Amino acid sequence: MDNWYTEKHSDGVGITLKVTKTLFSGKSAFQKLDIVETEDFGRMMLLDDLVMVTERDEFVYHDMIVHPALFTHPNPKKVLVIGGGDGGTIREIMKHASVEEAVLCEIDGLVIEKSIELLPTMACEINGSNPRVKLHVDDGIAYIREHKNSFDVILVDSTDPIGPAVGLFEEDFYRTVFAALKEDGIMVAQSESPFYHAEIQKSMYQNLRSVFPIVEMYQAFVPTYPSGLWSFAFASKKYHPLEAFDKKRAAARPFETKYYNEDLHGGAFALPTFARKNIN
Ligand code: SAM
């Protein structure tokens, strides 16, 4: 009998993927974790039965949470990732030779452990092989309070605003991120779907704007995420993502990217009208 995984995106719609094998299923102190083999999207990680990453489309999300900020900041040396226990975000950061240290602060050690074991194409830089990478199993909300004026770029690669991630969408947290960034620092956070999550976006961008002088939304197409249209918040103390963007450096990047490129960078910030309405 075929085994199908279904995630509902609203009461009336969802996505369904054919599962060929369960590689791991277990619980941590924070959430339920499943890693399964799918027929069409390779291996897939679920947290509390929600899609986090799949091997086939993770390149979109990980390219877009990392490269716009690292090609806007003139010389990113120290980068912090909050969440991101699958390792895909750290993998993309490590492609930037200017980065001397990347810190991963993930609340759930089981996510890191099982990603290293079962998702090697994403966790390849968090398995202890890269001396530029530092791992912390800790709540990002607590960790950030201990690190004032420390980072050039902070990336919040979190789950939806449920459970341990609720506080990662709050104004208090953004104030501590602002304090942890150097005077010209940049923060990027995944900001849900403009199509389904208008209410979340409204409060999130209001919170960001009460802290950061520059706040912009950009978008990307992630097939297995609700509606396929996903977004990221770019919050900056000094550099604007279009005005300060180093297009020449992005065009000359000495590494491969499967989604991101120097032209798409600009286009990603050109939002559909309904998405603009969500955040203005
Ligand atoms: N790309 C995925 C998405 O957009 O849904 C997110 C992937 S990543 C696996 C999300 C991670 O955030 C999870 O492993 C979760 O444990 C972690 N997380 C949630 N709340 C956290 C917190 N307060 N501090 C640190 N990590 C947290």
Side-chain angles (χ1 to χ4, degrees):
M1 190 189 68
D2 288 347
N3 181 16
W4 291 82
Y5 157 80
T6 297
E7 177 183 326
K8 289 182 74 180
H9 293 159
S10 72
D11 289 345
V13 67
I15 186 172
T16 192
L17 294 100
K18 191 172 177 183
V19 171
T20 54
K21 194 174 178 193
T22 295
L23 302 168
F24 176 79
S25 183
K27 277 199 167 157
S28 72
F30 302 98
Q31 53 211 345
K32 179 172 175 281
L33 168 63
D34 295 277
I35 299 183
V36 299
E37 194 81 59
T38 68
E39 180 128 315
D40 286 0
F41 274 70
R43 293 185 174 187
M44 174 167 74
M45 179 202 289
L46 309 170
L47 287 177
D48 288 339
D49 298 316
L50 299 174
V51 176
M52 289 299 121
V53 288
T54 80
E55 286 180 321
R56 185 166 169 197
D57 66 359
E58 59 87 4
F59 69 94
V60 181
Y61 177 93
H62 291 125
D63 270 14
M64 292 307 278
I65 197 166
V66 172
H67 300 307
L70 269 65
F71 282 121
T72 298
H73 192 286
N75 189 20
K77 288 187 178 162
K78 198 163 176 197
V79 181
L80 169 65
V81 177
I82 292 180
D86 54 75
T89 298
I90 291 278
R91 181 197 63 208
E92 293 308 308
I93 294 168
M94 284 298 102
K95 292 180 178 179
H96 292 258
S98 70
V99 176
E100 296 167 356
E101 185 176 297
V103 177
L104 180 77
C105 178
E106 161 62 59
I107 199 167
D108 192 339
L110 186 65
V111 172
I112 297 175
E113 181 196 326
K114 290 300 167 188
S115 297
I116 291 169
E117 185 189 332
L118 299 168
L119 298 171
T121 56
M122 278 173 255
C124 48
E125 301 282 8
I126 63 168
N127 57 11
S129 61
N130 190 325
R132 291 191 289 156
V133 176
K134 304 276 180 294
L135 300 186
H136 288 277
V137 176
D138 194 359
D139 182 346
I141 297 166
Y143 177 88
I144 202 116
R145 286 202 195 101
E146 310 303 317
H147 295 82
K148 298 264 183 313
N149 191 31
S150 304
F151 297 100
D152 299 304
V153 175
I154 296 176
L155 306 174
V156 184
D157 176 5
S158 79
T159 41
D160 307 316
I162 49 177
V166 168
L168 299 175
F169 292 76
E170 302 293 338
E171 184 181 331
D172 281 359
F173 171 69
Y174 298 140
R175 288 199 183 286
T176 54
V177 169
F178 190 94
L181 286 166
K182 293 177 186 163
E183 54 86 25
D184 62 347
I186 295 172
M187 172 193 130
V188 164
Q190 73 89 2
S191 65
E192 306 285 310
S193 168
F195 193 78
Y196 281 124
H197 306 129
E199 287 315 304
I200 295 173
Q201 295 195 325
K202 198 172 190 57
S203 73
M204 180 180 182
Y205 282 79
Q206 260 168 9
N207 291 338
L208 284 165
R209 290 206 171 105
S210 65
V211 176
F212 286 88
I214 299 167
V215 177
E216 299 289 346
M217 179 200 273
Y218 61 100
Q219 60 195 327
F221 158 68
V222 184
T224 55
Y225 283 5
S227 82
L229 179 61
W230 211 246
S231 73
F232 302 87
F234 188 107
S236 178
K237 296 172 99 167
K238 179 175 178 182
Y239 305 116
H240 188 280
L242 300 177
E243 291 148 23
F245 168 48
D246 187 342
K247 190 168 185 175
K248 266 215 195 87
R249 181 160 58 94
R253 62 191 179 282
F255 52 80
E256 194 209 345
T257 50
K258 280 175 66 182
Y259 187 85
Y260 178 84
N261 61 58
E262 64 281 5
D263 299 317
L264 178 126
H265 179 115
F269 287 88
L271 301 175
T273 306
F274 78 91
R276 279 187 187 163
K277 285 197 175 134
N278 288 356
I279 61 171
N280 291 317

